[in-house]
Coordinates of all heavy atoms in Angstrom, one line a residue:
Q21 N 19.6 -40.5 7.7 CA 20.1 -40.9 9.0 C 18.9 -41.0 10.0 O 17.9 -40.3 9.9 CB 21.1 -39.9 9.5 CG 21.9 -40.4 10.8 CD 23.0 -39.4 11.2 OE1 23.1 -38.3 10.7 NE2 23.8 -39.8 12.1
A22 N 19.1 -41.9 11.0 CA 18.1 -42.1 12.0 C 17.8 -40.8 12.7 O 18.7 -40.0 13.0 CB 18.5 -43.1 13.0
G23 N 16.5 -40.5 12.9 CA 16.1 -39.2 13.5 C 15.7 -38.2 12.4 O 15.2 -37.2 12.8
G24 N 16.1 -38.5 11.2 CA 15.8 -37.5 10.1 C 14.4 -37.6 9.6 O 13.6 -38.4 10.0
S25 N 14.2 -36.9 8.5 CA 12.9 -36.8 7.9 C 13.0 -37.1 6.4 O 14.0 -36.9 5.7 CB 12.2 -35.5 8.1 OG 12.0 -35.2 9.5
L26 N 11.9 -37.5 5.8 CA 11.8 -37.8 4.4 C 10.3 -37.6 4.0 O 9.4 -37.9 4.8 CB 12.2 -39.2 4.1 CG 12.8 -39.5 2.7 CD1 14.0 -38.6 2.4 CD2 13.2 -41.0 2.6
R27 N 10.1 -37.2 2.8 CA 8.7 -36.9 2.4 C 8.5 -37.7 1.1 O 9.2 -37.5 0.1 CB 8.5 -35.5 2.1 CG 7.0 -35.1 1.8 CD 6.8 -33.6 1.6 NE 5.4 -33.2 1.3 CZ 4.5 -33.0 2.2 NH1 4.7 -33.1 3.5 NH2 3.3 -32.7 1.7
L28 N 7.5 -38.6 1.1 CA 7.2 -39.4 -0.1 C 6.0 -38.8 -0.8 O 5.1 -38.2 -0.1 CB 6.9 -40.8 0.2 CG 8.0 -41.6 1.0 CD1 7.5 -43.0 1.2 CD2 9.3 -41.6 0.2
S29 N 5.9 -39.0 -2.1 CA 4.7 -38.5 -2.8 C 4.2 -39.5 -3.8 O 5.0 -40.3 -4.3 CB 5.1 -37.2 -3.6 OG 4.0 -36.7 -4.3
C30 N 2.9 -39.6 -3.9 CA 2.3 -40.5 -4.9 C 1.4 -39.7 -5.8 O 0.5 -39.0 -5.4 CB 1.5 -41.5 -4.1 SG 0.6 -42.7 -5.1
A31 N 1.7 -39.9 -7.1 CA 1.0 -39.2 -8.1 C 0.2 -40.2 -9.0 O 0.7 -41.3 -9.3 CB 1.9 -38.4 -9.0
A32 N -1.0 -39.8 -9.3 CA -1.8 -40.7 -10.1 C -2.0 -40.1 -11.5 O -2.2 -38.9 -11.7 CB -3.2 -40.8 -9.5
S33 N -1.9 -41.0 -12.5 CA -2.2 -40.6 -13.9 C -3.2 -41.6 -14.5 O -3.2 -42.7 -14.1 CB -0.9 -40.6 -14.7 OG -0.3 -41.9 -14.8
G34 N -4.0 -41.1 -15.4 CA -5.0 -41.9 -16.1 C -6.2 -42.1 -15.2 O -7.1 -42.9 -15.5
G35 N -6.3 -41.4 -14.1 CA -7.4 -41.6 -13.2 C -7.3 -40.6 -12.0 O -6.3 -39.8 -12.0
S36 N -8.2 -40.6 -11.1 CA -8.2 -39.7 -10.0 C -8.3 -40.4 -8.6 O -8.7 -41.6 -8.6 CB -9.4 -38.8 -10.1 OG -9.5 -37.9 -9.0
F37 N -7.8 -39.7 -7.6 CA -8.0 -40.2 -6.2 C -9.3 -40.0 -5.7 O -9.6 -40.4 -4.6 CB -6.9 -39.6 -5.3 CG -5.5 -40.2 -5.5 CD1 -4.4 -39.3 -5.7 CD2 -5.3 -41.5 -5.6 CE1 -3.1 -39.8 -5.8 CE2 -4.0 -42.1 -5.8 CZ -2.9 -41.2 -5.9
D38 N -10.1 -39.2 -6.4 CA -11.4 -38.8 -5.9 C -12.3 -39.9 -5.4 O -12.4 -40.9 -6.1 CB -12.2 -38.0 -6.9 CG -11.6 -36.6 -7.2 OD1 -10.6 -36.2 -6.5 OD2 -12.0 -36.0 -8.2
S39 N -12.9 -39.8 -4.2 CA -13.8 -40.7 -3.6 C -13.2 -42.1 -3.2 O -13.9 -43.0 -2.9 CB -14.9 -41.0 -4.6 OG -15.6 -39.8 -5.0
Y40 N -11.9 -42.1 -3.1 CA -11.2 -43.3 -2.7 C -10.4 -43.1 -1.4 O -10.1 -42.0 -1.0 CB -10.2 -43.8 -3.8 CG -10.9 -44.3 -5.1 CD1 -11.0 -43.4 -6.2 CD2 -11.4 -45.6 -5.2 CE1 -11.7 -43.8 -7.3 CE2 -12.0 -46.0 -6.3 CZ -12.2 -45.1 -7.4 OH -12.8 -45.6 -8.5
N41 N -10.1 -44.3 -0.8 CA -9.2 -44.3 0.3 C -7.8 -44.7 -0.2 O -7.6 -45.8 -0.7 CB -9.6 -45.3 1.4 CG -10.9 -44.9 2.0 OD1 -11.3 -43.7 2.1 ND2 -11.7 -45.9 2.5
I42 N -6.8 -43.8 -0.1 CA -5.5 -44.0 -0.6 C -4.6 -44.5 0.5 O -4.6 -44.0 1.6 CB -4.9 -42.7 -1.2 CG1 -5.9 -42.0 -2.1 CG2 -3.6 -43.1 -2.0 CD1 -6.4 -42.9 -3.2
G43 N -3.8 -45.5 0.3 CA -3.0 -46.1 1.3 C -1.5 -46.2 1.0 O -1.1 -46.2 -0.2
W44 N -0.7 -46.2 2.0 CA 0.7 -46.5 1.9 C 1.0 -47.8 2.6 O 0.6 -48.0 3.8 CB 1.5 -45.3 2.5 CG 1.6 -44.1 1.7 CD1 0.9 -43.0 1.8 CD2 2.6 -43.9 0.7 NE1 1.3 -42.0 0.9 CE2 2.3 -42.6 0.2 CE3 3.6 -44.6 0.1 CZ2 3.1 -42.0 -0.9 CZ3 4.4 -44.0 -0.9 CH2 4.1 -42.8 -1.4
Y45 N 1.7 -48.6 2.0 CA 2.2 -49.9 2.6 C 3.7 -50.0 2.4 O 4.3 -49.2 1.6 CB 1.5 -51.1 1.9 CG 0.1 -51.2 2.2 CD1 -0.9 -50.4 1.6 CD2 -0.4 -52.2 3.1 CE1 -2.2 -50.6 1.9 CE2 -1.7 -52.4 3.4 CZ -2.6 -51.6 2.8 OH -4.0 -51.7 3.1
R46 N 4.3 -50.9 3.1 CA 5.8 -51.0 3.0 C 6.1 -52.5 3.2 O 5.4 -53.3 3.8 CB 6.5 -50.2 4.0 CG 6.3 -50.6 5.4 CD 7.0 -49.5 6.4 NE 6.9 -49.9 7.8 CZ 7.3 -49.1 8.8 NH1 7.8 -48.0 8.5 NH2 7.1 -49.5 10.0
R47 N 7.3 -52.9 2.6 CA 7.8 -54.2 2.7 C 9.3 -54.1 3.0 O 10.1 -53.6 2.2 CB 7.6 -55.0 1.5 CG 8.0 -56.5 1.6 CD 8.0 -57.2 0.3 NE 6.6 -57.5 -0.1 CZ 5.8 -58.5 0.3 NH1 6.3 -59.3 1.2 NH2 4.6 -58.6 -0.2
A48 N 9.6 -54.6 4.2 CA 11.0 -54.7 4.6 C 11.6 -56.1 4.3 O 10.9 -57.0 4.2 CB 11.2 -54.4 6.1
P49 N 12.9 -56.1 4.1 CA 13.6 -57.4 3.8 C 13.2 -58.5 4.8 O 13.4 -58.2 6.0 CB 15.0 -57.1 3.8 CG 15.1 -55.7 3.4 CD 13.9 -55.1 4.1
G50 N 12.7 -59.6 4.4 CA 12.4 -60.7 5.3 C 11.1 -60.5 6.0 O 10.8 -61.4 6.9
K51 N 10.3 -59.5 5.7 CA 9.1 -59.3 6.3 C 7.9 -59.2 5.3 O 8.1 -59.0 4.1 CB 9.1 -58.0 7.1 CG 10.1 -58.0 8.3 CD 10.0 -56.7 9.0 CE 10.9 -56.6 10.2 NZ 10.8 -55.3 11.0
E52 N 6.7 -59.4 5.8 CA 5.6 -59.3 5.0 C 5.2 -57.9 4.8 O 5.6 -57.0 5.5 CB 4.4 -60.1 5.6 CG 4.5 -61.6 5.7 CD 3.3 -62.2 6.3 OE1 2.4 -61.5 6.7 OE2 3.3 -63.5 6.3
R53 N 4.5 -57.6 3.7 CA 4.0 -56.2 3.5 C 3.1 -55.8 4.6 O 2.3 -56.6 5.1 CB 3.2 -56.2 2.1 CG 2.8 -54.8 1.7 CD 2.0 -54.9 0.4 NE 0.8 -55.7 0.5 CZ 0.1 -56.1 -0.6 NH1 0.5 -55.8 -1.8 NH2 -1.0 -56.9 -0.4
E54 N 3.3 -54.6 5.1 CA 2.5 -54.1 6.2 C 1.9 -52.7 5.9 O 2.4 -51.9 5.1 CB 3.3 -54.0 7.5 CG 4.4 -53.0 7.4 CD 5.2 -52.8 8.7 OE1 4.6 -53.3 9.8 OE2 6.3 -52.3 8.7
F55 N 0.8 -52.5 6.5 CA 0.1 -51.2 6.4 C 0.8 -50.1 7.1 O 1.4 -50.3 8.2 CB -1.4 -51.4 6.9 CG -2.1 -50.1 7.2 CD1 -2.6 -49.4 6.1 CD2 -2.2 -49.5 8.4 CE1 -3.3 -48.2 6.3 CE2 -2.8 -48.3 8.6 CZ -3.4 -47.7 7.6
V56 N 0.8 -48.9 6.5 CA 1.5 -47.8 7.1 C 0.5 -46.7 7.4 O 0.4 -46.3 8.5 CB 2.6 -47.2 6.1 CG1 3.2 -46.0 6.8 CG2 3.7 -48.3 5.9
A57 N -0.2 -46.2 6.4 CA -1.1 -45.1 6.6 C -2.2 -45.1 5.5 O -2.0 -45.7 4.4 CB -0.4 -43.8 6.6
T58 N -3.3 -44.5 5.8 CA -4.3 -44.3 4.8 C -5.0 -43.0 4.9 O -5.0 -42.4 6.0 CB -5.4 -45.5 4.9 OG1 -6.3 -45.4 3.8 CG2 -6.2 -45.4 6.2
I59 N -5.6 -42.5 3.9 CA -6.3 -41.2 3.9 C -7.5 -41.3 3.0 O -7.5 -41.8 1.9 CB -5.4 -40.0 3.5 CG1 -6.1 -38.7 3.6 CG2 -4.9 -40.2 2.0 CD1 -5.2 -37.5 3.5
R60 N -8.6 -40.8 3.5 CA -9.9 -40.7 2.8 C -9.9 -39.4 2.0 O -9.8 -38.3 2.6 CB -11.1 -40.8 3.7 CG -12.4 -40.7 3.0 CD -13.6 -41.1 4.0 NE -13.5 -42.5 4.3 CZ -14.3 -43.1 5.2 NH1 -15.3 -42.4 5.7 NH2 -14.2 -44.3 5.5
W61 N -9.9 -39.6 0.7 CA -9.7 -38.4 -0.2 C -10.8 -37.4 0.0 O -10.6 -36.2 0.1 CB -9.7 -38.8 -1.7 CG -9.4 -37.7 -2.6 CD1 -10.2 -36.9 -3.2 CD2 -8.0 -37.3 -2.9 NE1 -9.5 -36.0 -4.0 CE2 -8.2 -36.2 -3.8 CE3 -6.8 -37.7 -2.6 CZ2 -7.1 -35.5 -4.4 CZ3 -5.7 -37.1 -3.1 CH2 -5.8 -36.0 -4.0
S62 N -12.0 -37.9 0.2 CA -13.2 -36.9 0.3 C -13.1 -36.1 1.5 O -13.4 -34.9 1.5 CB -14.5 -37.7 0.3 OG -14.5 -38.7 1.4
S63 N -12.7 -36.6 2.7 CA -12.7 -35.9 3.9 C -11.3 -35.5 4.4 O -11.2 -34.6 5.2 CB -13.4 -36.7 5.0 OG -12.7 -37.9 5.3
G64 N -10.3 -36.2 4.0 CA -9.0 -36.0 4.5 C -8.7 -36.7 5.8 O -7.6 -36.6 6.3
S65 N -9.6 -37.5 6.3 CA -9.4 -38.2 7.5 C -8.3 -39.3 7.3 O -8.3 -39.9 6.2 CB -10.7 -38.9 8.0 OG -11.2 -39.8 7.0

């Protein structure tokens, strides 16, 4: 429901997130894919 919370998780297999910038994107109906968030694995920024 609006105002609520949800937690997504992304797991990697066959490789590692080390030294990469990991991103979350989303696509809503009728819209183009858009950037949501990113994190630098090495620093956590």
Side-chain angles (χ1 to χ4, degrees):
Q21 189 176 10
S25 299
L26 208 59
R27 186 179 181 87
L28 304 182
S29 181
C30 176
S33 63
S36 175
F37 284 133
D38 291 353
S39 303
Y40 293 97
N41 295 332
I42 314 303
W44 283 97
Y45 289 77
R46 66 186 182 186
R47 183 187 292 277
K51 296 183 178 180
E52 296 182 353
R53 183 180 63 192
E54 66 174 343
F55 166 77
V56 176
T58 186
I59 185 169
R60 179 168 293 179
W61 189 266
S62 59
S63 65
S65 61

